[in-house]
């Protein structure tokens, strides 16, 4: 009977131990907020466990290794940066490491961002390595670009520029006969102006039509952003444009010269590229702000002058003049 009792106690102890171990494996972990853990290339489970303990994701590296050997799937841990959720269990953590679900970081390039500010965003991006020059204006497709810690800035910039080349080639192949541009390079230049002139999606194709009509008639485009660009390279001017700047001849100023500028003034988004390659069916030659964030368009100068007077009246009523 004594032997039987000892056996029962042993079995009970093993069962209880197994239950405790299972709870340690699947139960909530110690981290009360998400923590970042980097697993270096070629790291063993032991090294990964040490990094987890140092970050506070597990209570004991030794215990984590033992539990992983008993309950784990037997796979190897993948290198990379991981964001461990708050109170993640040992099981959840090992699953992340074996499946390689590394943290994805993001560099966001908004539509119309100039290249000097794309460069700023890349240089400030946490976790990227190396340096890059300011990219050519208009060479980057605005979008969000995922990366992992340790990636190079050069590799992310290469993806941004490859995305622009691919999209422009695709859009150029579907261009309308109404488009006034004669090359993909011209399309990017005009799209960058359209991008800076309106933030209203519904207006883009009409703004593109206005500039296309002006190009065909050899009229100056008279786009304010082209006056600002050679002064700031796309950064905010922070003041009104000076009369002297309106008359400056520098290859960009479309008040001083007819035709397109010598290059883009920003990185245009997909919608502005599409608008230039498929403009609205419009004879408009002019537009001015309407007081609501959009514009009102006109085919003739007298009609435009009347619209300008209305805009001045709105600004005067607001105390802006």
């Amino acid at each position: 009977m004594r032997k039987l009792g000892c056996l029962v106690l042993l079995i009970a102890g093993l069962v209880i131990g197994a239950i405790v171990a299972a709870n340690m494996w699947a139960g909530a972990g110690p981290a009360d907020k998400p923590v970042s853990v980097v697993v270096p290339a070629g790291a063993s489970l032991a090294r990964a466990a040490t990094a987890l303990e140092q970050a506070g994701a597990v209570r004991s590296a030794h215990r984590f290794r033992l539990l992983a050997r008993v309950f784990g799937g037997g796979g190897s841990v993948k290198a990379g940066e991981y964001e461990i959720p708050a109170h993640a269990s040992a099981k959840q953590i090992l699953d992340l490491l074996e499946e390689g679900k590394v943290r994805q970081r993001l560099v966001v390039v908004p539509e119309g961002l100039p290249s000097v500010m794309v460069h700023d965003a890349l240089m400030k991006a946490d976790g990227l390595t190396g340096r890059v020059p300011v990219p050519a204006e208009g060479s980057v497709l605005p979008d969000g670009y995922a990366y992992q810690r340790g990636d190079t800035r050069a590799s992310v910039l290469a993806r941004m520029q490859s995305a622009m080349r691919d999209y422009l080639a695709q859009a150029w192949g579907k261009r309308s006969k109404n488009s006034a541009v004669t090359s993909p390079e011209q399309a990017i230049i005009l799209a960058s102006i359209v991008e800076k002139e309106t933030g209203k999606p519904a207006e883009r194709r009409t703004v593109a039509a206005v500039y296309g009509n002006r190009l065909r008639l050899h009229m100056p485009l008279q786009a304010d952003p082209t006056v600002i660009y050679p002064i700031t390279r796309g950064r905010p001017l922070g003041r009104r444009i000076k009369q002297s700047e309106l008359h400056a001849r520098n290859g960009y100023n479309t008040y001083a010269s007819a035709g397109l500028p010598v290059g883009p003034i920003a990185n245009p988004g997909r919608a502005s590229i599409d608008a230039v390659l498929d403009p609205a069916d419009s004879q408009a030659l002019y537009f001015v702000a309407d007081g609501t964030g959009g514009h009102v368009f006109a085919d003739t100068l007298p009609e435009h002058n009347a619209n300008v007077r209305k805009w001045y009246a709105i600004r005067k009523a607001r105390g802006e003049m």
Side-chain angles (χ1 to χ4, degrees):
M1 289 295 291
R2 182 180 295 177
K3 290 182 180 180
L4 180 59
C6 290
L7 181 60
V8 169
L9 288 173
L10 177 60
I11 293 173
L14 290 173
V15 170
I16 292 171
I19 292 172
V20 170
N23 285 336
M24 283 193 257
W25 177 242
D32 56 6
K33 61 182 179 181
V35 295
S36 180
V37 175
V38 176
V39 177
S44 62
L45 177 62
R47 189 171 177 185
T50 299
L52 291 165
E53 181 182 340
Q54 290 172 344
V58 299
R59 292 182 177 85
S60 164
H62 177 69
R63 184 189 301 165
F64 179 80
R65 292 199 309 273
L66 290 176
L67 292 171
R69 291 192 180 102
V70 173
F71 296 105
S76 59
V77 296
K78 308 292 193 301
E81 180 186 15
Y82 294 86
E83 183 166 322
I84 309 299
H87 302 297
S89 68
K91 179 184 184 306
Q92 291 171 320
I93 293 171
L94 187 64
D95 286 345
L96 285 175
L97 270 57
E98 288 186 342
E99 293 171 16
K101 293 183 177 179
V102 295
R103 175 181 177 181
Q104 292 291 330
R105 296 170 178 266
L106 201 66
V107 177
V108 177
V109 179
E111 287 83 355
L113 197 70
S115 283
V116 290
M117 296 176 74
V118 174
H119 182 260
D120 290 348
L122 282 167
M123 295 309 297
K124 291 176 183 176
D126 184 40
L128 286 178
T129 63
R131 301 186 65 83
V132 288
V134 175
E137 199 69 76
S139 68
V140 167
L141 184 68
D143 208 335
Y145 293 87
Y147 69 91
Q148 297 177 27
R149 178 180 287 276
D151 286 352
T152 64
R153 291 181 172 86
S155 67
V156 177
L157 177 56
R159 284 195 282 126
M160 294 175 171
Q161 294 179 316
S162 177
M164 176 59 93
R165 288 192 296 271
D166 291 347
Y167 189 79
L168 180 58
Q170 172 191 342
W172 181 256
K174 299 186 293 186
R175 68 190 182 278
S176 163
K177 293 180 180 179
N178 292 332
S179 179
V181 296
T182 58
S183 70
E185 293 75 22
Q186 287 188 359
I188 290 295
I189 294 172
L190 187 53
S192 72
I193 297 175
V194 172
E195 190 73 72
K196 301 301 284 188
E197 284 284 18
T198 181
K200 279 198 165 185
E203 288 188 350
R204 285 194 183 99
R205 294 181 65 236
T206 307
V207 170
V210 168
Y211 287 130
N213 293 338
R214 281 178 164 256
L215 284 173
R216 293 187 185 94
L217 294 173
H218 304 289
M219 293 175 64
L221 300 186
Q222 296 185 327
D224 288 358
T226 66
V227 180
I228 297 170
Y229 182 79
I231 303 169
T232 67
R233 290 293 157 180
R235 297 189 190 277
L237 182 60
R239 58 170 172 78
R240 291 186 178 181
I241 297 171
K242 299 175 182 178
Q243 281 296 316
S244 60
E245 292 164 347
L246 285 173
H247 298 289
R249 290 184 175 272
N250 48 42
Y252 286 95
N253 182 4
T254 57
Y255 279 83
S257 304
L260 290 169
V262 295
I265 60 171
N267 291 286
R270 295 174 178 85
S272 291
I273 295 170
D274 292 347
V276 165
L277 294 176
D278 184 23
D281 184 9
S282 171
Q283 300 304 309
L285 292 171
Y286 308 91
F287 62 91
V288 68
D290 63 4
T292 68
H295 297 85
V296 58
F297 298 86
D299 294 0
T300 66
L301 185 57
E303 183 184 356
H304 174 63
N305 288 338
N307 292 334
V308 170
R309 287 192 293 271
K310 291 177 185 177
W311 171 230
Y312 284 169
I314 291 170
R315 292 186 63 194
K316 187 173 182 180
R318 291 175 176 174
E320 298 173 356
M321 295 183 66

